[in-house]
Amino acid sequence: MELVHEFRDISPWVAEGYILSLPGSVRESKGFSGPGWHISIEELPDVDVGSLRFRQIRLTLSGAHDVVEQIWEQLGPNFYRGGA
């Protein structure tokens, strides 16, 4: 299974910190991995909204269906915060 989410105004280094807080998380050359899962982060072009500019990232989580659901249950709340 592959789960893809795009987020505005979360820097890659903040997202990496969230991912590295997962049990068993290891940084690799093309993202992060843990027991039965892999996550990659891609920086997307900035988005202009009026006079504001927001950075964007795309997070892709892959693995077995049950593992992906379990990891997103742990990781997802970090990305959904007020004002994002």
Side-chain angles (χ1 to χ4, degrees):
M1 172 182 185
E2 187 172 86
L3 185 66
V4 179
H5 287 284
E6 293 181 2
F7 299 98
R8 289 187 183 169
D9 213 28
I10 295 178
S11 65
W13 66 269
V14 169
E16 290 172 4
Y18 295 155
I19 295 165
L20 288 170
S21 71
L22 293 169
S25 181
V26 176
R27 184 185 306 266
E28 297 180 334
S29 62
K30 294 191 177 192
F32 303 84
S33 66
W37 56 267
H38 179 80
I39 296 176
S40 63
I41 298 174
E42 177 185 355
E43 289 188 67
L44 302 174
D46 291 346
V47 173
D48 294 327
V49 179
S51 63
L52 302 174
R53 177 168 285 186
F54 296 95
R55 67 182 75 192
Q56 289 190 111
I57 61 169
R58 177 180 296 133
L59 183 141
T60 304
L61 168 60
S62 57
H65 187 272
D66 58 330
V67 174
V68 168
E69 285 185 343
Q70 179 185 16
I71 293 299
W72 188 247
E73 190 174 295
Q74 295 173 47
L75 187 62
N78 293 318
F79 288 89
Y80 294 112
R81 63 202 199 298

